[in-house]
Amino acid sequence: MTDDDLHITPRVARVLMSEEAIYGLILVSGMIVVAGSDDGRSLSVLVTVAVTVLVFYAAHVYAGALGRLAATDGSGGLGTSLRAAARQSSGMLAASVPAIIVLALGTTHVIADATANWTALVLNTIVLGALGWIAVARWTTHWAPRIISALITAAFGGALIALKALIHH
């Protein structure tokens, strides 16, 4: 299955198939576990996740810009370096959107708080698995490496789900 088969544009593929997107999903899941252990309310979890993602994104952009400036001895310019780092790091923001939407549903009481927290964790794990599958599918048609990659990538989310289960039971 190719990006064309999945209707993934090159820009969307670049954002979603980035280390920043994978890292963002794991970060959001970790924050759901940590924030959910406090009072479990979707609002506090949502605020914690959103603020943490924004801080990590800003730090990532700043570090990326500094790295680009250092690598080019400043010839790339600050604005250019910041824009390039912001584009490179955008996967972290994009990856947080599905969980934030689910947590917002809990905040507005469309679904229960606990359901929102667990659903966001499971959704992130499914997305991690899908990204692991798609990443390998881009370079091989064999099923075994795709399945192994999907399982390994999803295992990061699974580990956080297990941690949440241990903390709350």
Side-chain angles (χ1 to χ4, degrees):
M1 193 170 283
T2 67
D3 290 348
D4 290 335
D5 295 334
L6 296 169
H7 306 291
I8 299 174
T9 65
R11 174 160 168 56
V12 171
R14 183 193 57 76
V15 169
L16 292 178
M17 298 310 304
S18 67
E19 64 189 71
E20 292 80 9
I22 302 285
Y23 180 74
L25 284 163
I26 296 166
L27 171 69
V28 167
S29 293
M31 292 314 303
I32 292 168
V33 170
V34 171
S37 66
D38 242 358
D39 64 10
R41 289 191 353 240
S42 294
L43 179 59
S44 64
V45 176
L46 175 64
V47 170
T48 300
V49 166
V51 170
T52 302
V53 167
L54 289 174
V55 169
F56 270 77
Y57 172 75
H60 212 265
V61 169
Y62 178 72
L66 287 181
R68 283 172 174 76
L69 287 170
T72 62
D73 294 325
S75 65
L78 178 61
T80 301
S81 295
L82 281 170
R83 281 188 297 280
R87 271 191 311 278
Q88 178 65 38
S89 300
S90 63
M92 190 177 295
L93 293 176
S96 69
V97 171
I100 287 174
I101 290 170
V102 171
L103 293 170
L105 292 173
T107 299
T108 58
H109 305 294
V110 172
I111 57 178
D113 286 328
T115 302
N117 295 342
W118 282 104
T119 301
L121 279 173
V122 170
L123 179 61
N124 279 357
T125 302
I126 291 167
V127 172
L128 281 165
L131 292 179
W133 173 279
I134 293 167
V136 172
R138 295 177 94 192
W139 56 266
T140 184
T141 58
H142 299 304
W143 286 77
R146 293 176 182 193
I147 291 170
I148 291 168
S149 176
L151 290 173
I152 290 171
T153 312
F156 291 110
L160 290 166
I161 287 173
L163 179 61
K164 181 167 176 61
L166 287 172
I167 289 173
H168 294 289
H169 289 93

